[in-house]
Amino acid sequence: MATITSLLAGHEIVVGLCIGFAFGILLHKGGVTKFDVVVNQLRLRDFTVLKVILTAILVGGVGICALKAGGAAGTHLKPTVFGPVLIGGALFGIGMALLGYCPGTGVGSVGGGSVHGLVGVIGMLAGAAAYAEAYPHLKAWGLLDWQKMGEIAFPELLGIDTWLLWALMAGGTVLLFLVLEILAPERKQG
Amino acid sequence: MNWLTAKRWSPYQVGLLIGVLCWIAFYISDRPLSVSTAFVKSAAMIEKEVAPDHYAQKEYFQKDKYAPTPDWAWILVIGVFAGALFSSLVSRDVRPEVVPAVWRSTAGKSVFFRLLIAFIGGVVIMFGARMAGGCTTGHGISGGLQLSVGSWTFLGTVFLTGGLTALLMYRTRKGRSPNRQ
């Protein structure tokens, strides 16, 4: 297996493009590049987005946990800083309701012909530039370090074994999916 | 190849495959999937061309990961567009959309208003993503699957504020809202 990584070393652009291409296909097939699907998730009328995200976290998390245990993957945790995560997250949620896409699904929506999605992508570029303008001020105010906790994950925080936590998460997620399928059954779409 | 031309797959199937894609990204590239970082790089590229002096003064753009050159994280987003375009084409699901159905039935049919709010929404969502340090992909999926406390806090905050905003904004105009006539 080590030959795969050494074979692909130095081709990070090609690898990144292929992974992105597959991600784009999956976002479209999942229906999450559709404005109505995203907005109806936020309105609690369609649970597609939640099902996609939680399944990805569960499958991805258990696999990467195993890869890390075998020394085949590194840790890429973002530091937890509650101030900017809460304020940034709130802005993100409001923006997502207005735009009807998140950054990845917005880019994907353009591939399906979404004109307002393209306008949203241009808005996102402007938002990135605006943040670069605001950054020195936010930093000077101390907002970006407000309630800084470092790179913490739930197993350490709660003092329980990672695999036990995954077992509990898997049980909880499956239970939630069962409840969702009973209350709001998945409709067949062509 | 019926599976490839289908317009939709089960969300569980799609979630499972995105999870597997995360294994591949961690194993082969030693990187988590992320999207919003690429927007900073693109903004940096544009600003470097359009206003080089102004660009050079921006502290935020000087970080290595935002260098205005294509890399894995940047090309990934190009790939997302290409993949979604390919999938839409093979399943005959390409249709120009300006005012989507839910918007039309709740906020009206004005094209200008929809595009204005889409632009503002884009600005706000990316400003928030950069402040929080990631988006639905970088924080939500990649951070969530590593059980990061900050990433789960982000996900919870996004669904709470996004849900409240959407419930207030997208209300069907028929009956039940006498204030709007």
Side-chain angles (χ1 to χ4, degrees):
Chain A
M1 286 293 274
T3 48
I4 299 175
T5 35
S6 55
L7 199 71
L8 293 170
H11 297 88
E12 71 157 15
I13 293 288
V14 182
V15 175
L17 186 65
C18 292
I19 292 177
F21 191 80
F23 193 32
I25 293 176
L26 291 170
L27 291 176
H28 173 254
K29 297 297 186 203
V32 294
T33 58
K34 298 277 194 285
F35 173 96
D36 291 348
V37 172
V38 175
V39 163
N40 279 339
Q41 169 65 71
L42 295 177
R43 300 166 85 205
L44 304 178
R45 292 178 182 213
D46 178 329
F47 291 90
T48 304
V49 176
L50 200 66
K51 290 173 191 170
V52 170
I53 290 185
L54 290 182
T55 311
I57 288 177
L58 190 62
V59 173
V62 170
I64 285 167
C65 199
L67 284 175
K68 282 182 185 177
T75 297
H76 300 280
L77 276 179
K78 296 174 193 289
T80 294
V81 195
F82 283 115
V85 161
L86 288 170
I87 298 171
L91 289 171
F92 191 96
I94 294 167
M96 188 161 153
L98 297 174
L99 176 57
Y101 302 111
C102 60
T105 57
V107 169
S109 80
V110 181
S114 174
V115 178
H116 59 116
L118 178 61
V119 171
V121 167
I122 296 166
M124 287 194 268
L125 287 169
Y131 187 75
E133 294 292 335
Y135 178 75
H137 306 289
L138 299 173
K139 200 173 153 189
W141 294 339
L143 177 68
L144 303 181
D145 288 322
W146 185 36
Q147 294 296 314
K148 190 171 189 166
M149 317 301 278
E151 295 173 4
I152 46 168
F154 278 109
E156 297 95 81
L157 186 77
L158 304 174
I160 68 168
D161 182 69
T162 308
W163 289 110
L164 176 62
L165 186 53
W166 276 119
L168 294 171
M169 298 254 312
T173 307
V174 170
L175 199 64
L176 176 67
F177 288 163
L178 286 172
V179 171
L180 285 178
E181 292 304 335
I182 293 165
L183 295 181
E186 197 183 316
R187 271 164 297 187
K188 287 282 169 206
Q189 303 212 21
Chain B
M1 299 292 269
N2 279 342
W3 55 275
L4 195 60
T5 55
K7 280 196 177 82
R8 291 281 283 270
W9 297 349
S10 148
Y12 302 117
Q13 222 172 358
V14 168
L16 185 141
L17 292 171
I18 291 175
V20 172
L21 200 61
C22 291
W23 304 349
I24 296 172
F26 265 77
Y27 181 70
I28 294 182
S29 299
D30 195 24
R31 281 176 186 258
L33 295 184
S34 65
V35 171
S36 64
T37 308
F39 275 85
V40 182
K41 286 182 85 85
S42 297
M45 288 176 197
I46 295 167
E47 225 168 275
K48 198 183 178 189
E49 283 301 315
V50 179
D53 295 339
H54 190 68
Y55 165 81
Q57 293 168 2
K58 294 266 190 83
E59 184 189 349
Y60 192 61
F61 287 150
Q62 308 310 316
K63 298 185 183 189
D64 282 347
K65 63 174 176 173
Y66 303 139
T69 44
D71 69 348
W72 189 92
W74 188 82
I75 202 82
L76 183 111
V77 178
I78 304 295
V80 168
F81 167 74
L85 175 66
F86 168 78
S87 177
S88 303
L89 285 172
V90 295
S91 55
R92 298 187 180 190
D93 194 26
V94 183
R95 57 190 163 85
E97 179 187 89
V98 184
V99 184
V102 170
W103 181 279
R104 192 178 285 268
S105 67
T106 52
K109 58 184 179 184
S110 164
V111 168
F112 175 77
F113 187 53
R114 172 58 203 142
L115 295 184
L116 178 72
I117 297 300
F119 182 83
I120 294 171
V123 173
V124 173
I125 199 173
M126 190 51 67
F127 195 93
R130 291 331 301 160
M131 188 186 288
C135 61
T136 328
T137 306
H139 252 317
I141 296 177
S142 301
L145 66 80
Q146 295 182 89
L147 301 171
S148 157
V149 176
S151 297
W152 278 94
T153 308
F154 175 81
L155 263 182
T157 312
V158 166
F159 273 96
L160 190 70
T161 55
L164 287 173
T165 312
L167 288 170
L168 287 173
M169 271 179 68
Y170 302 104
R171 283 189 294 189
T172 316
R173 283 180 168 184
K174 278 176 287 183
R176 288 213 297 150
S177 61
N179 297 339
R180 289 215 201 152
Q181 294 189 320

